[in-house]
């Protein structure tokens, strides 16, 4: 990089040599004066030009301030799935989806849902009503009653299985084993010995000393069979008073010669009136709930 002093010297030489033939005499005199001044300062200019240029101060890069990224605000409506216990999130999602697909089977096979639904359908048939209450209403009522009955067992399962699993105290296999203990006690209480003996014989398993020692392979089908029989027994008892009403109405209409009038047209309002007078829903639900205590 050239020195500024050297540049000044070159400019003075250009001024002296660059005058044209048409320049005025005063320009020559001025050039002479400039030449004399240049000659006087020439030693100093040459000395400064010979000096090495001063080293430029190193330019320090400006410090880079890292961008502080604040964490995104948590959304109260956000759904996050974390791994249960020491498992990963992927395995947790797989277990949850598998459990969701098995909920209908668990609801039917391991709870009082089947008995309740059978009794409600028998009641609708006994009253002579085809679509009232609707299937959705009866299923919803059965689900609510099932939740009411199974809530204490669910609390025990949550306390003994889910909470230790979330705290990484037990594995998923241990949690399933612990959850099966209260379910086994509940189902064993309502399984008939005759049904349990039937499936023990079919499975060719040794007869246990206690019904609580039955394997789930034998206990589940025996429990379903026992619940079906209990539901049909209650339904048959419900049919009897309404059957008497149908027979009495049919006899009266036949004896008075009303052959063209279907007996169901008269018996249905009478059965509804009888059911409401005795507060049938209260009696039925109360009897069903007490049957599980």
């Amino acid at each position: 990089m050239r020195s500024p002093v050297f540049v000044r010297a070159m400019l003075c030489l250009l001024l002296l040599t660059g005058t044209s033939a048409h320049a005025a005499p005063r320009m020559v005199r001025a050039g002479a004066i400039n030449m004399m001044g240049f000659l006087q300062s020439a030693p100093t200019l040459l000395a400064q030009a010979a000096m090495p240029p001063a080293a430029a101060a190193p330019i320090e890069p400006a410090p880079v301030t890292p961008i502080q990224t604040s964490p995104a605000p948590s959304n109260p409506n956000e759904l996050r799935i974390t791994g249960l216990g020491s498992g990963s999130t992927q395995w947790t999602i797989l277990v949850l989806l598998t459990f969701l697909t098995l909920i209908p089977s668990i609801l039917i096979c391991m709870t009082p849902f089947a008995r309740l639904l059978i009794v409600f359908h028998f009641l609708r048939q006994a009253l002579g009503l085809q679509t009232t209450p609707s299937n959705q209403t009866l299923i919803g009522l059965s689900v609510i009653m099932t939740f009411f009955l199974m809530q204490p067992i669910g609390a025990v399962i949550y306390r003994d299985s889910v909470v230790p699993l979330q705290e990484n105290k037990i594995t998923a296999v241990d949690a399933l084993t612990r959850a099966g203990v209260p379910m086994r006690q509940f189902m064993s209480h309502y399984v008939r010995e005759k049904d349990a003996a039937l499936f023990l014989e079919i499975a060719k398993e040794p007869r246990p000393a206690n019904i609580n020692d039955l394997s789930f392979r034998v206990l589940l089908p025996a429990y379903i069979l026992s619940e079906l029989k209990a539901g049909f027994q209650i339904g048959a008892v419900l049919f009897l008073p309404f059957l008497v009403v149908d027979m009495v109405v049919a006899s009266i209409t036949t004896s008075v010669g009303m052959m063209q009038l279907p007996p169901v047209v008269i018996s249905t309002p009478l059965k509804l009136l009888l059911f409401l007078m005795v507060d049938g829903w209260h009696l039925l639900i109360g009897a069903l709930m007490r049957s599980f205590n």
Side-chain angles (χ1 to χ4, degrees), residues 224-239:
I224 287 293
L225 188 59
S226 300
E227 288 295 294
L228 289 176
K229 181 175 182 180
F232 274 82
Q233 285 177 342
I234 299 174
V237 173
L238 280 176
F239 251 104

Side-chain angles (χ1 to χ4, degrees), residues 1 62 71 76 98 103 151 186 250:
M1 185 176 182
T98 305
I103 282 180
Q151 191 275 334
F186 172 80

Side-chain angles (χ1 to χ4, degrees), residues 13-273:
L13 290 176
L14 289 175
L15 289 174
L16 292 175
T17 59
T19 56
S20 61
H22 303 284
R26 54 190 178 85
M27 295 295 296
V28 177
R29 289 195 299 270
I33 294 172
N34 292 332
M35 185 61 184
M36 291 176 63
F38 172 73
L39 292 175
Q40 291 177 358
S41 61
T44 304
L45 295 175
L46 292 175
Q48 293 180 357
M51 293 177 60
I59 301 175
E60 297 181 358
V64 179
T65 304
I67 301 175
Q68 300 293 336
T69 58
S70 59
S74 59
N75 186 2
N77 298 324
E78 184 180 5
L79 177 62
R80 293 188 178 184
I81 299 177
T82 58
L84 292 176
S86 59
S88 62
T89 305
Q90 293 80 2
W91 281 107
T92 302
I93 295 176
L94 178 62
V95 171
L96 289 178
L97 292 178
T98 305
F99 178 74
L100 289 176
T101 58
L102 295 177
I103 282 180
S105 301
I106 295 174
L107 186 66
I108 295 175
C109 299
M110 304 178 68
T111 64
F113 178 80
R115 182 194 299 191
L116 297 173
L117 188 59
I118 290 173
V119 171
F120 292 147
H121 275 284
F122 267 106
L123 175 63
R124 186 174 65 179
Q125 294 294 328
L127 289 173
L129 304 174
Q130 300 300 322
T131 57
T132 305
S134 62
N135 290 331
Q136 290 81 1
T137 304
L138 296 180
I139 293 174
L141 182 59
S142 302
V143 170
I144 293 173
M145 295 296 103
T146 301
F147 174 78
F148 178 81
L149 292 170
M150 300 298 293
Q151 191 275 334
I153 300 174
V156 173
I157 293 175
Y158 181 79
R159 182 192 62 198
D160 297 342
S161 310
V162 179
V163 173
L165 180 61
Q166 291 177 344
E167 296 176 352
N168 297 332
K169 295 181 179 179
I170 59 175
T171 62
V173 177
D174 295 335
L176 290 176
T177 304
R178 291 189 179 186
V181 174
M183 292 301 302
R184 182 191 302 274
Q185 293 176 353
F186 172 80
M187 290 187 293
S188 300
H189 186 69
Y190 300 104
V191 169
R192 297 187 308 164
E193 294 185 3
K194 183 177 180 180
D195 297 330
L198 171 64
F199 287 100
L200 280 173
E201 181 182 357
I202 295 174
K204 293 180 173 53
E205 292 186 4
R207 189 180 184 89
N210 191 355
I211 195 170
N212 292 324
D213 298 333
L214 287 174
S215 63
F216 273 104
R217 180 191 177 190
V218 175
L219 185 60
L220 286 176
Y223 175 76
I224 287 293
L225 188 59
S226 300
E227 288 295 294
L228 289 176
K229 181 175 182 180
F232 274 82
Q233 285 177 342
I234 299 174
V237 173
L238 280 176
F239 251 104
L240 292 179
F242 301 111
L243 181 61
V244 172
V245 174
D246 286 333
M247 294 176 62
V248 171
V249 171
S251 301
I252 294 174
T253 55
T254 304
S255 61
V256 298
M258 301 175 63
M259 306 298 297
Q260 302 298 327
L261 181 64
V264 69
V265 176
I266 302 176
S267 64
T268 299
L270 293 177
K271 289 187 290 187
L272 286 175
L273 182 61

